[in-house]
Amino acid sequence: MATPREIRWGILATGAISITFTKDLLVDPNTRGVSNIKHTVVAAASSTSAARAQSFLQDVKAPSTAKAYGSYEELVRDPDVEIIYVATPHSHHYQNVMLCLEAGKHVLCEKAFTVNAQQARILAEKAKEKGVFLAEAFWTRYFDLTNYVRDVVHSGRLGTVYRVFSDASARLSPEANFGDSKHRLVNPNLAGGALLDLGVYSLTWPFLVFWKPDSQPEVVSSITKYEQTSVDESTTMLLTFPRPASSGGNAHAVATTSIRIGNVSGAANPVPCVRIQGELGELQLFSLAQCPDTTKLIFKDGTVEDKTWPKPGPGKGSGWYNGYLNHMGPEGEGAGMFWEADDAAFAIIEGRTEGKHMSMGETLAVMEVMDKVRQQGGVRYPDSLESVEYPLSL
């Protein structure tokens, strides 16, 4: 058997999402049926200090040889690093990703990809100029569950699909939870608000079903602002995806996102976060739009197909857990972020420069929709965050 190709990662930023990603990254790929690649972490950087980066490496049980840096500049100069996972707040993505690309590194960048479409477009052009991989780290697009959704939609089991409802919301009181207004969800200096943080997830399902590279949806939206900081607290979007009459005519989607409200759903009263409706039935997803774990396929004749989608990992009895902040998954199950990392690895091996299930074209299209929504609702961030000037200290 051939030796697996080792992919050498650098981790830029050491917050909660980096911990989740890196713990998943270091799970043996054989646990998910992947035998020809292996991930390793060779370095991590914190903008706070090298000591913070070292603590992060110990927390995620990175190899003892992994280097800890106290600046992002040191990380991108490390010749052992071939791909960098960027997990700073999205307010800083443009500056951080450009730093990596200028150094000739492959990049997997968290969502929202940037603050606006212009920034995303310039980064895509820079990646093309450098001949490196660049993708939005849209973990949801790489789940086994999502592959099932694609198959149901494109195989015609629902007939022609006409409409998608999708909600990604936090259901948190911003006053009670973020009273000082410094949290990224409500802080305009971190490009806060529901839309860029959560709305990308409500948009991803209509885009997965309807979006084509040669067409852009129209959007009409309504925003309620959070009074204390003027970021969007709740946003509702009505999208129209152009489609010829021969394919059923224009398709519609309603995508919603909110900090304050959301589905009240649980085992006793499951409420779908996504509904994909076709002429022969509908596909419902539960429980959260960013990481659904259950599907219900309902046909017009009353037939129902229920499925649950546990994630692979070291398995029960391993004593290993992963999750986000204090929300841990079942023992031995990964969070599901390793699949996007696997795709980046295969892209490097194949010479592919974009994500298999989230191209830069689609990332740009989503950013353009969110630009329009912010414009319609009068939401603008500080000029430094909207700027395409580089380098720029934020």
Side-chain angles (χ1 to χ4, degrees):
M1 182 181 293
T3 302
R5 164 71 157 87
E6 187 173 71
I7 305 298
R8 304 183 308 278
W9 290 81
I11 309 299
L12 191 152
T14 56
I17 195 63
S18 288
I19 292 173
T20 305
F21 175 84
T22 308
K23 287 179 69 176
D24 255 24
L25 185 74
L26 294 173
V27 170
D28 182 356
N30 284 286
T31 61
R32 54 187 180 273
V34 177
S35 60
N36 52 349
I37 58 170
K38 177 185 178 183
H39 301 284
T40 191
V41 174
V42 297
S46 168
S47 61
T48 305
S49 66
R52 174 69 188 93
Q54 185 61 52
S55 175
F56 167 84
L57 291 169
Q58 292 170 351
D59 288 345
V60 299
K61 295 181 170 53
S64 60
T65 53
K67 288 161 280 188
Y69 294 120
S71 74
Y72 301 153
E73 288 78 11
E74 291 175 283
L75 178 70
V76 303
R77 288 197 298 264
D78 188 330
D80 290 337
V81 173
E82 61 179 326
I83 181 168
I84 296 177
Y85 171 68
V86 174
T88 47
H90 48 254
S91 52
H92 289 54
H93 285 177
Y94 178 72
Q95 298 293 325
N96 299 152
V97 173
M98 186 64 82
L99 176 70
C100 299
L101 295 177
E102 289 283 17
K105 304 297 186 183
H106 303 290
V107 177
L108 183 64
C109 176
E110 267 303 333
K111 78 228 60 80
F113 187 69
T114 49
V115 172
N116 58 49
Q118 186 182 17
Q119 292 178 344
R121 192 172 295 108
I122 291 172
L123 292 178
E125 291 169 354
K126 177 60 68 172
K128 186 175 181 180
E129 172 193 321
K130 293 288 187 176
V132 295
F133 172 84
L134 175 64
E136 186 173 14
F138 222 111
W139 63 320
T140 318
R141 286 298 188 92
Y142 294 88
F143 294 171
D144 285 344
L145 176 149
T146 311
N147 292 331
Y148 168 76
V149 172
R150 288 189 191 92
D151 179 67
V152 168
V153 170
H154 298 306
S155 66
R157 296 185 70 190
L158 291 175
T160 300
V161 176
Y162 287 93
R163 187 169 62 184
V164 173
F165 294 97
S166 181
D167 178 72
S169 297
R171 204 156 55 85
L172 294 171
S173 164
E175 294 86 0
N177 289 275
F178 318 123
D180 63 4
S181 299
K182 293 181 180 179
H183 190 276
R184 60 181 175 81
L185 260 178
V186 295
N187 188 345
N189 295 314
L190 294 176
L195 179 63
L196 266 63
D197 196 274
L198 298 165
V200 287
Y201 291 114
S202 56
L203 286 168
T204 202
W205 295 104
F207 267 79
L208 181 145
V209 174
F210 295 130
W211 183 75
K212 303 292 182 185
D214 57 352
S215 65
Q216 179 70 353
E218 293 297 321
V219 61
V220 177
S221 62
S222 180
I223 281 178
T224 297
K225 293 183 181 180
Y226 178 48
E227 188 173 343
Q228 292 187 24
T229 63
S230 294
V231 301
D232 69 294
E233 177 188 298
S234 295
T235 297
T236 299
M237 297 165 276
L238 172 61
L239 298 106
T240 302
F241 289 82
R243 197 167 61 176
S246 58
S247 298
N250 291 348
H252 295 166
V254 178
T256 57
T257 184
S258 178
I259 298 171
R260 190 181 300 276
I261 59 171
N263 289 339
V264 180
S265 181
N269 61 322
V271 176
C273 55
V274 178
R275 299 174 67 189
I276 300 168
Q277 298 180 324
E279 58 188 337
L280 302 181
E282 76 171 62
L283 177 60
Q284 300 177 348
L285 313 185
F286 308 80
S287 52
L288 301 174
Q290 57 266 42
C291 52
D293 55 17
T294 306
T295 58
K296 182 185 288 288
L297 182 57
I298 308 169
F299 293 102
K300 288 173 64 176
D301 65 4
T303 304
V304 176
E305 180 177 293
D306 287 306
K307 288 181 176 289
T308 57
W309 301 88
K311 296 179 179 67
K316 290 183 179 179
S318 63
W320 184 90
Y321 293 86
N322 201 7
Y324 182 67
L325 294 173
N326 297 320
H327 306 287
M328 290 292 111
E331 182 187 15
E333 280 193 28
M337 301 189 85
F338 34 57
W339 284 310
E340 63 182 358
D342 290 348
D343 180 68
F346 288 122
I348 291 172
I349 294 169
E350 298 163 6
R352 176 163 46 87
T353 57
E354 297 187 2
K356 180 179 180 181
H357 294 309
M358 192 70 184
S359 68
M360 283 308 304
E362 188 170 2
T363 289
L364 282 167
V366 172
M367 291 305 310
E368 287 171 358
V369 164
M370 293 196 295
D371 280 358
K372 291 177 183 177
V373 171
R374 287 200 296 125
Q375 183 180 26
Q376 291 171 9
V379 174
R380 182 172 174 84
Y381 300 114
D383 289 346
S384 59
L385 303 190
E386 301 272 6
S387 175
V388 295
E389 180 183 345
Y390 173 84
L392 186 64
S393 180
L394 299 177

